[in-house]
Structure formats: structure tokens, C-alpha cells
Amino acid sequence: MTIGEQLANQLREVILNGTWIANTNFKDQLENLDWKVATRKFQSLNTISILAQHIHYYIDGIKNVFTNGTLEIRDKYSFDFPPIESQTEWETFQIKFWNDTETLARLIEKMTDEQLNQNFVDEKYGSYLRNIDGMIEHSYYHLGQVVLIKKMIDY
């Protein structure tokens, strides 16, 4: 298995279907969650929907680099989303999240080791490998928050 294939599988594990690292994944945590629970505020914490949209923001942004070569996302906007106001909006978001994740995973698994070691857009961002690996780690971090928030709001 190539490094690209391994990274793609790790991305799928944290978002779509894995249980090896965290015994869960985003899809498992979100798929049957009512939008009112997903948008419920607990103290000063981000909502589950905001955390999911935050992770999708980076997946979509990195996918965009693969497809058109430009980095259009900015950290300062990574928590700025219009509110989800219905179950339909929540489910529509999830479909996009799952589809964009799978699209990015397919792009990653085709990468050679040489491509993975090339600069990601600009030298200051490091390599593709560093950015993909960082995104996977970042996803696990926020997945843990989602699990804890669900427990704290008595889901």
C-alpha cells in the first residue's frame, strides 16, 4: 500500500467509517443526530454542527487545492457558518461532508510519494503530506470534542 493510499484510508476512517483510533468516526456520530441536538449550545463550547462544518471547511479547502491549485480558505473564517435551521439543512450538509471527504480521499490515494513531498501551494505551508496528516489529526481532535459534547448535553 502506498503512502497516499494509507493517508486516504486514514481520512476515511476518521470521517466516514473507521473505529480503529477513536472507536468511532464523524459519520457514526452525526448521521442520526437531530439538527436541534447538533445545534444546541453547551456553555461556551462550539456546537456539534459548528465543529463538523469546521472540519468540512478544511476538507473542502484542501480538495479545492487538488482540483484548481489555489488555497482559498483562511483560518480566520473556519468557524464562520450560517446557522443550520432545519433537519433538511443538517442532512444536506452531511451529504456534502461525506461526498467531499470521499472525493478528497480518492485524490490523495492517487498521489505518489514524490507528489506528497512537494510544497502545498507555497513553501511556507510545508508539504502535501504534512497538510494531509495535519488535517487527519485535526479531525480526530474535533471528533473527540463532538463525542464529549454529545455526552454533556445528555444525548
Side-chain angles (χ1 to χ4, degrees):
M1 183 178 300
T2 67
I3 294 171
E5 290 169 333
Q6 290 174 35
L7 287 168
N9 287 340
Q10 288 172 350
L11 176 61
R12 287 183 183 107
E13 284 177 2
V14 67
I15 306 299
L16 301 173
N17 60 22
T19 58
W20 186 59
I21 300 293
N23 204 34
T24 191
N25 57 71
F26 270 93
K27 190 171 187 179
D28 184 52
Q29 292 298 311
L30 305 180
E31 196 165 44
N32 295 308
L33 191 65
D34 185 87
W35 75 278
K36 291 178 182 176
V37 175
T39 59
R40 185 175 302 157
K41 190 78 172 141
F42 183 82
Q43 297 177 2
S44 63
L45 302 177
N46 286 307
T47 66
I48 292 168
S49 66
I50 291 293
L51 292 171
Q53 290 174 92
H54 173 75
I55 291 302
H56 174 259
Y57 180 80
Y58 285 101
I59 288 171
D60 192 44
I62 291 175
K63 179 181 67 103
N64 191 52
V65 170
F66 277 77
T67 57
N68 74 22
T70 60
L71 182 62
E72 297 173 359
I73 59 173
R74 300 293 176 261
D75 291 344
K76 67 182 178 179
Y77 302 121
S78 69
F79 285 98
D80 296 342
F81 308 104
I84 290 177
E85 297 179 330
S86 71
Q87 188 67 28
T88 300
E89 287 180 14
W90 176 233
E91 291 170 4
T92 299
F93 159 73
Q94 288 179 70
I95 291 167
K96 183 159 177 45
F97 191 9
W98 315 146
N99 289 341
D100 287 344
T101 299
E102 182 56 37
T103 298
L104 179 58
R106 286 183 183 155
L107 293 166
I108 292 169
E109 69 191 357
K110 294 177 185 173
M111 294 188 80
T112 66
D113 291 355
E114 182 181 343
Q115 290 170 318
L116 285 165
N117 287 311
Q118 290 176 357
N119 288 334
F120 181 80
V121 180
D122 189 303
E123 184 177 358
K124 70 181 176 183
Y125 297 122
S127 67
Y128 276 85
L129 176 61
R130 180 174 188 249
N131 280 271
I132 294 164
D133 187 51
M135 181 189 56
I136 293 166
E137 291 180 17
H138 183 218
S139 297
Y140 275 113
Y141 171 77
H142 288 302
L143 175 60
Q145 290 179 322
V146 167
V147 171
L148 290 172
I149 291 168
K150 281 177 74 173
K151 289 179 181 188
M152 289 187 288
I153 59 176
D154 272 334
Y155 176 72

